[in-house]
Amino acid sequence: MENKVRSSDYKGSSSSEIRSAIEELSMMVKALNKPPPEALVVKMENGNDHDHINDHARDHHDDDPMLHIPTKPFLSLCNNLVLQVLDKIGPTMTVLRQDVHENIQRLEMLHESDPSVYSNMVEMVKKEVSEGVARKGASCSKAFVWLTRSLDFVVALLQKLAKDPGQMSMEQAVEEAYTITLKPWHRWISSAAYRVALKLVPDHQTFISLLLAKDKNYETLKEEMQTLIVLLVPFLEEIHSVLRLYGLDRLKSS
């Protein structure tokens, strides 16, 4: 059992990936004319916030014929949140970080090849599915799937850290987040590699100190993590509805 977290334990860094992600998602929600985040707020204390938000998002999005996943904001989120969080976890996530980086580059190259066509990730998926290449080789659709799952992992980890930070070790939080988001889709060799790497995760207080902005305390960080979760879970559920629609939601690693 780890010690309870005290805000005085942390000095913080000069910026906050959590705050940047909140700003990015807030602008995206506004630009896409989505319901305000307040409509999706569920108190973290009730213990079933994730399922509640997912149910709301699923009801709202599954039958939406105008699904739109803006490419640049999605990739920015992966760059500024997923990569930064993985860096702070450390060598444990080196393999996953490399995969995320390569997948981001693949989608950036596609977007730059024709920004007017590929400003919406859904159009990219539709094109590859129609050409019969979405599930083959190093397709952009597969990159999209794995980046989404990496965001799932980050959300699951932040949920565990925000809910009861004193009751779970960092190693346990990372392992449980990995088990529910990435492990079902990894082959045995990948799973075995992650089990070994889990022994290298930083302790809880070190990780939290790396997430903190210089002028923030732990309570502020916890509130920001909760806000990010409320914004990000419905966005991810919309992406998953796209993956289900095009038969890409069950892809496993090659």
Side-chain angles (χ1 to χ4, degrees), residues 74 148 151-152 155 231-241:
F74 174 78
T148 300
L151 282 165
D152 290 336
V155 168
L231 286 165
L232 189 50
V233 169
F235 176 63
L236 286 173
E237 193 56 39
E238 180 163 333
I239 296 176
H240 282 293
S241 70

Side-chain angles (χ1 to χ4, degrees), residues 163-186:
K163 189 171 293 184
D164 197 353
Q167 298 300 315
M168 182 178 291
S169 70
M170 186 64 192
E171 180 180 339
Q172 184 181 359
V174 171
E175 182 173 17
E176 290 189 8
Y178 170 74
T179 298
I180 63 177
T181 60
L182 293 171
K183 185 177 179 180
W185 316 112
H186 277 163

Side-chain angles (χ1 to χ4, degrees), residues 130-170:
S130 68
E131 294 172 351
V133 299
R135 304 172 66 91
K136 298 178 181 178
S139 73
C140 289
S141 295
K142 289 171 71 174
F144 184 39
V145 169
W146 283 104
L147 288 177
T148 300
R149 290 171 179 169
S150 298
L151 282 165
D152 290 336
F153 168 78
V154 171
V155 168
L157 179 61
L158 294 180
Q159 283 178 317
K160 294 180 183 303
L161 295 178
K163 189 171 293 184
D164 197 353
Q167 298 300 315
M168 182 178 291
S169 70
M170 186 64 192

